[in-house]
Amino acid sequence: MTADPEQEPYVALRTKALESLLIEKGLLTEEAKDRQVSAYEMDIGPLAGAKVVAKAWTDAEFRGRLLSDAGAAIAEMGLATGTSLVVVENTPDVHNMVVCTLCSCYPWMVLGLPPTWYKSFAYRSRAVIEPRSVLSEFGLELPEDVTVHVWDSSAEQRYMVLPQRPSGTEAMSEDELASLVSRDAMIGVAAVEEPAT
Amino acid sequence: MTADPEQEPYVALRTKALESLLIEKGLLTEEAKDRQVSAYEMDIGPLAGAKVVAKAWTDAEFRGRLLSDAGAAIAEMGLATGTSLVVVENTPDVHNMVVCTLCSCYPWMVLGLPPTWYKSFAYRSRAVIEPRSVLSEFGLELPEDVTVHVWDSSAEQRYMVLPQRPSGTEAMSEDELASLVSRDAMIGVAAVEEPAT
Amino acid sequence: MNGVHDMGGMHGFGPIVIDEDEHLFHAPWEARVRSMVMLSIAQGRFNADASRYGIEQMPPAVQLNAPYFERWLASLEFNHVREGNVSEVELEDRIDVLRENPSFTVEPKAPLRPSNPPRTGNLDGLVGLSANPRFAVGDAVIAKNINPLGHTRLPRYARGKRGTITRVHGIFAFADTNAHGLGLQPQTVYNVAFAGRELWGDSAEMNQVVSLDLWESHLEPPPAE
Amino acid sequence: MNGVHDMGGMHGFGPIVIDEDEHLFHAPWEARVRSMVMLSIAQGRFNADASRYGIEQMPPAVQLNAPYFERWLASLEFNHVREGNVSEVELEDRIDVLRENPSFTVEPKAPLRPSNPPRTGNLDGLVGLSANPRFAVGDAVIAKNINPLGHTRLPRYARGKRGTITRVHGIFAFADTNAHGLGLQPQTVYNVAFAGRELWGDSAEMNQVVSLDLWESHLEPPPAE
């Protein structure tokens, strides 16, 4: 019955010990814990954000509402944004990108859980001092006259980038457009590519 | 012949490997290396600084020369200061203390090798932002109206503190006075105590 | 606090490593830690600001070596100990018990013990719209040079720097006090845009702007000219 | 570089630990590392500024976890590799050899190979007295807001801050360039005193002054008022 203690990493033991104490003391239930895991892991993903982007590309009035009050605009679509969401729009003159230098705040209500690189010390430290250098590591080279606007998520606002709609997509449906929009484009470290013809 | 590899810490192996390569390539000799170790380890200690302090306490003209050009004044005593030494004087109004926040620069030519705490991250980080708090951990509580002047050794200058001469030492010889002066007092984290009578 | 977590503008952390095949969680304990943190905050055991502070107070060398969810775990332990829910001795003892007997289980209790008082979180955030904000869009402001020992959301790289108000977000609880049980101190949060050259001098890249969301307590008008 | 070595004003490193019974060296390899560094600098293999930079370029988490002389060792390896005196592969191979055969020895060569060109050190420092310093004792100056990727002796906590010239030290080689083989750029070094409140705002302790020794390139006159 006794497992090899070498098999259990110390962090896993610490986790179990705390869990065990919180349950014993009436501060946690097993079921609530499991429900929480599945909700975050499974239910939210960047597709929510991609649908918002596609709608903004095809509906100018929605885009206007989205940029002035993202929470209300997204609620129209039946999606909930738990906290203050702000959508910032890329233009030919301004490229936006999102970071959280102090921890790893992320617009999970539209993009799901953050990728590991977003939480990395390299991204957190560099995005605000050398954003172009960071973008070029993602393969995105911007002209010098394009302003790079970095949004450091230091309060309760969470930022999502509305990328530029690529040309050659005029005939596409909202669903087709949504399929073009990557998570990275909505963080602001990628552009949405023109679809291959 | 083969030692247990577990016995040799990796840093010691790295040290030997580099040494071995530098000797093989004609960049280092065994003898020079050993000479250097003994010189630093054995020859210099805070007594040199203490003698300088005692002389400054008993010879006002020397003190003046010491404060305006420490290197020249100390050379009079037959001691060499390899680089630019600056001596700063404690008064009833100003208490001086020395740190190097960027590395661990230290007035080794008068005080020998630095104590471990001087090189610690705690001392390096805190001395410039909360010097009074640091001093109180050393047992030195200064009145609020005394200015604490911290010297962060960021260039080639090395700083030594000339502590205040305690009362009750009027009859002491220079040698007796020197024996009262601690290394910590010359770094500026201690006062020179009145001798017990 | 001026901690290593405040890493905006730091050098030396290397290139961005992008792992396309990554998993959200690398081991089951990571997902469980995340759940416990989210549940603890939802239940008012501690708030999101205290959760961040719990990471910040890790010793710097430990913090920089701990993977992401290990930092969350350290904060979770810190905050439940800080709130008196568990003690460090209990944690150590339970680790020993589980190491000896991995199948050790405890009886859940129902109903759960309420948090008393509940620690209001910033995640529930928006207290209301700002009645009388001190600054308006377009105003020049200076981010104060503060260096508190406790939690703050004003990063070092912006302190003392001049920016422009670009958005007035409304009123929120003040993270800097709320992390320490020192009150919600609700106040206006603003988005402040700083020019790259203001932040980084000649080292700034071309045409760079960095925006931060700062509380009114973080800001002051520039000196009269 | 804005590295973790630049720790003036950081929080979180804990109390000062004073060990009265300490030894200068905790193991023989520490003394040997120190000797190799001092000899390498004396021989012009690299200079003291490059030696400091060698520590700064260690990855932050490694740097903060490495004891003092391990940081020196890392810098020693870095600089001998940087100067082409040894390669990383040679180092790894020699470690393997010594692990297998601890009594492995090599034949010393005489005379020693000269350093070509010798890397002039700041330890020999004083180039001469200043002919025409830009600033005089009593002048107000601003420490520039620089954020170079390379070595600098202007710490982050003083950048952008206003101080007063208190001493004119004379002309020295410029560490910021000299660490990178970019020339001695001899120039005046000044002692600049900063008020605690200028550096730390309201968080400053009572009656606090911090002095730094800064090169003329680090300083500029305050803006006209």
Side-chain angles (χ1 to χ4, degrees), chain D residues 59-81:
Chain D
V62 177
Q63 194 180 146
L64 291 185
N65 274 283
Y68 184 70
F69 284 111
E70 193 169 327
R71 301 198 295 275
W72 278 53
L73 173 59
S75 172
L76 188 65
E77 292 168 337
F78 170 83
N79 275 294
H80 277 295
V81 169

Side-chain angles (χ1 to χ4, degrees), chain A residues 87-166:
Chain A
V87 176
V88 290
E89 183 183 30
N90 284 352
T91 69
D93 299 325
V94 179
H95 178 87
N96 296 284
M97 66 188 279
V98 179
V99 68
C100 172
T101 61
L102 292 171
C103 41
S104 303
C105 297
Y106 186 76
W108 55 268
M109 55 289 211
V110 279
L111 300 188
L113 291 180
T116 298
W117 61 257
Y118 183 86
K119 304 181 282 185
S120 70
F121 298 152
Y123 186 73
R124 287 172 52 191
S125 61
R126 294 175 55 201
V128 289
I129 192 170
E130 44 173 6
R132 285 176 197 273
S133 164
V134 169
L135 291 176
S136 89
E137 286 177 32
F138 280 94
L140 184 60
E141 306 280 352
L142 295 171
E144 283 205 340
D145 61 350
V146 170
T147 295
V148 178
H149 193 151
V150 181
W151 301 80
D152 187 355
S153 316
S154 49
E156 293 310 304
Q157 285 62 45
R158 298 292 172 269
Y159 290 87
M160 187 186 97
V161 175
L162 175 57
Q164 291 188 78
R165 180 175 178 167

Side-chain angles (χ1 to χ4, degrees), chain B residues 61-156:
Chain B
E61 288 186 8
F62 174 79
R63 191 174 89 242
R65 293 196 300 276
L66 183 71
L67 296 174
S68 63
D69 185 349
I74 288 173
E76 297 172 19
M77 299 174 63
L79 298 169
T81 68
T83 175
S84 261
L85 185 72
V86 178
V87 175
V88 289
E89 183 183 28
N90 284 352
T91 68
D93 299 324
V94 179
H95 179 87
N96 296 283
M97 65 187 278
V98 179
V99 67
C100 172
T101 62
L102 293 171
C103 42
S104 304
C105 298
Y106 186 76
W108 54 267
M109 55 288 210
V110 278
L111 300 188
L113 291 180
T116 299
W117 62 257
Y118 183 87
K119 303 181 282 186
S120 71
F121 298 152
Y123 186 74
R124 287 172 52 190
S125 61
R126 294 175 57 200
V128 290
I129 191 170
E130 44 175 3
R132 283 175 199 275
S133 165
V134 168
L135 291 176
S136 88
E137 286 177 33
F138 281 94
L140 184 59
E141 306 280 353
L142 294 172
E144 283 205 339
D145 62 350
V146 171
T147 295
V148 178
H149 194 150
V150 182
W151 302 80
D152 187 355
S153 316
S154 49
E156 293 310 305

Side-chain angles (χ1 to χ4, degrees), chain A residues 23 26 29, chain C residues 107-113:
Chain A
I23 290 170
T29 61
Chain C
E107 277 305 302
K109 282 194 183 153
L112 286 184
R113 215 167 79 194

Side-chain angles (χ1 to χ4, degrees), chain D residues 33 58 90-91 173 180 187 193:
Chain D
V33 163
M58 295 173 75
E90 284 177 316
L91 282 168
H180 297 289
Q187 55 188 275

Side-chain angles (χ1 to χ4, degrees), chain C residues 190-208:
Chain C
Y190 304 88
N191 187 266
V192 186
F194 298 88
R197 288 185 63 86
E198 171 72 9
L199 297 177
W200 314 115
D202 290 344
S203 313
E205 292 179 343
M206 289 284 290
N207 292 316
Q208 190 198 343

